[in-house]
Amino acid sequence: MIDLYTWTTPNGRKISIALEELGLSYTAHAVDIGKEEQFKPEFLKISPNNRIPAIVDRDNGMSLMESGAILIYLGDKTGKLLPKSGEKRYRVIEWLMWQMGGPGPFLGQVHHFVKYNKGKAPYAEERYLKGAHRLYGVLNRRLEGREFVADDYSIADIAIWPWISRFEWQTIDLNQYPNVKRWYVTIAKRPAVERGYAVPKKVNEIPMPA
Ligand SMILES: N[C@@H](CCC(=O)N[C@@H](CS)C(=O)NCC(=O)O)C(=O)O
């Protein structure tokens, strides 16, 4: 049994989607970051960086923050969605780290400057939008002739997908990136992804490109 501390954001959804895919039983605890619940002392004991997601594994009492670390932990715990060794494992970790260092921070800034504060900082809008298009281009090239970012469907796809699900917020037309669009729609239709997307509560249907 896993306790998941999360909110309705891409980083939170990575973990609920992984837990659903892995069939692990878990309890979701909503941490409303709009109400600053991430700063409560009891949450800081689990997540010292005051950010969601975080988990506590009741099997061994271990707590963990940082979505990338949590995904690796869950993959290793179950022996699924992350190969055990060799190049296949490192290919998954490579694309997981690409998400953590690229689309996560960059697309987060696009949401901040382009969706929520449009017109306030034109330089930042231009910089982060340009960065977003570069990253969509990288992903599109990676998915050329490939079903998933590594070999099989993995924690790397699960880490990237929730960030792409905000393509409308990012003013990205997925038709410009046909391999990303095909990959995104395929994953969106997985029942575990539909369930995990609606944790800790359903706020909207999964956005689908035209
Ligand atoms: N690198 C962290 C980033 C986590 C993160 O930025 N979480 C956001 C929600 S998606 C958050 O908790 N924000 C709260 C805040 O900004 O105070 C991870 O991947 O877990």
Side-chain angles (χ1 to χ4, degrees), residues 17-204:
I17 288 171
L19 287 165
E20 292 288 344
E21 291 282 10
L22 293 167
L24 287 170
S25 60
Y26 68 102
T27 303
H29 305 273
V31 179
D32 186 339
I33 61 174
K35 292 187 182 152
E36 307 221 321
E37 290 178 357
Q38 69 274 31
F39 297 105
K40 286 187 175 171
E42 57 269 32
F43 181 63
L44 288 179
K45 284 187 196 147
I46 302 165
S47 185
N49 195 37
N50 59 260
R51 300 210 148 192
I52 64 93
I55 62 163
V56 177
D57 186 341
R58 283 196 217 165
D59 291 347
N60 54 19
M62 184 166 147
S63 67
L64 210 53
M65 64 170 188
E66 283 293 329
S67 59
I70 298 169
L71 288 171
I72 292 172
Y73 177 78
L74 295 176
D76 282 342
K77 180 181 170 77
T78 56
K80 294 180 192 162
L81 298 174
L82 173 62
K84 285 191 176 58
S85 62
E87 183 175 348
K88 285 185 181 221
R89 178 179 178 87
Y90 293 106
R91 211 49 76 201
V92 170
I93 291 177
E94 174 183 59
W95 285 93
L96 173 65
M97 293 302 155
W98 175 78
Q99 184 286 311
M100 296 298 292
F106 259 80
L107 300 180
Q109 296 300 333
V110 173
H111 300 166
H112 185 80
F113 288 109
V114 176
K115 174 160 172 73
Y116 287 113
N117 291 287
K118 200 157 184 54
K120 285 192 193 160
Y123 173 78
E125 280 181 47
E126 191 188 322
R127 170 174 161 77
Y128 289 114
L129 263 180
K130 197 171 160 196
H133 278 282
R134 188 188 71 79
L135 291 163
Y136 270 84
V138 170
L139 184 58
N140 199 55
R141 283 195 300 281
R142 178 65 187 171
L143 289 167
E144 182 76 50
R146 209 181 243 109
E147 197 176 358
F148 299 111
V149 292
D151 295 279
D152 299 323
Y153 180 62
S154 72
I155 55 169
D157 299 287
I158 292 173
I160 301 164
W161 185 89
W163 284 97
I164 305 302
S165 78
R166 293 226 157 133
F167 64 91
E168 289 164 323
W169 287 26
Q170 298 150 12
T171 65
I172 297 280
D173 177 3
L174 282 186
N175 293 307
Q176 268 183 270
Y177 303 100
N179 300 320
V180 177
K181 180 179 175 182
R182 182 249 314 142
W183 166 89
Y184 173 77
V185 170
T186 302
I187 295 175
K189 289 180 181 159
R190 295 176 70 91
V193 171
E194 288 177 7
R195 291 194 301 275
Y197 186 84
V199 174
K201 62 176 181 176
K202 183 171 178 176
V203 284
N204 55 264

